[in-house]
């Protein structure tokens, strides 16, 4: 059960960095590639920890893994757009963040209810 709390903490750190990156997108400012990569590494680590947790338990936060994976796809699209020099749409940043918040909410519900 300890790994799920570690995943929650890591997703929390990813969320803090994500909020900073979203604030830059919403203000039409350039996002930091380094911070975006650290944000992605935290999120990927959290997903891996959840997968490891689910593999050891018959029941787990599978819905959170699915939702976080969808959010990760949105993040990869944003990284691709930035690497090709295209502007990141505000709606994509907001949708990515909202999807991650929904996944985090399901994870917290699973861990504490």
């Amino acid at each position: 059960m300890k790994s799920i709390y570690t995943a929650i903490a890591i997703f929390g750190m990813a969320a803090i960095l994500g909020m900073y990156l979203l604030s830059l997108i919403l203000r039409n400012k350039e996002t930091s590639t380094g911070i975006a990569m650290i944000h992605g590494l935290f999120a990927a680590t959290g997903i891996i920890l959840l997968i490891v947790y689910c593999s050891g338990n018959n029941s787990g936060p599978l819905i959170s893994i699915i939702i976080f994976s969808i959010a990760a796809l949105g993040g990869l699209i944003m990284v691709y757009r930035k690497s090709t020099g295209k502007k990141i749409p505000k709606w994509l940043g907001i949708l990515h963040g909202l999807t991650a918040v929904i996944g985090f909410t399901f994870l917290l519900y699973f861990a504490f209810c």
Side-chain angles (χ1 to χ4, degrees), residues 10 29 78:
I10 289 173
K29 299 205 177 200
M78 287 191 288

Side-chain angles (χ1 to χ4, degrees), residues 72-91:
L73 180 62
L76 289 173
I77 292 169
M78 287 191 288
V79 167
Y80 173 76
R81 289 187 64 88
K82 181 170 173 61
S83 67
T84 57
K86 296 179 182 174
K87 186 177 176 186
I88 299 171
K90 292 179 182 180
W91 66 265

Side-chain angles (χ1 to χ4, degrees), residues 27-51:
R27 292 183 286 150
N28 295 318
K29 299 205 177 200
E30 188 69 24
T31 56
S32 168
T33 304
I35 292 177
M37 292 299 135
I38 294 169
H39 164 76
L41 286 173
F42 277 139
T45 302
I47 291 172
I48 291 168
L49 284 173
L50 287 181
I51 292 170

Side-chain angles (χ1 to χ4, degrees), residues 67-111:
I67 295 172
F68 279 130
S69 297
I70 293 168
L73 180 62
L76 289 173
I77 292 169
M78 287 191 288
V79 167
Y80 173 76
R81 289 187 64 88
K82 181 170 173 61
S83 67
T84 57
K86 296 179 182 174
K87 186 177 176 186
I88 299 171
K90 292 179 182 180
W91 66 265
L92 183 57
I94 292 169
L95 185 63
H96 168 72
L98 285 175
T99 306
V101 166
I102 292 168
F104 193 67
T105 303
F106 276 107
L107 178 61
L108 291 175
Y109 181 81
F110 176 84

Side-chain angles (χ1 to χ4, degrees), residues 1-14:
M1 191 71 168
K2 183 179 177 185
S3 66
I4 198 163
Y5 298 126
T6 305
I8 289 170
I10 289 173
F11 277 124
M13 290 185 281

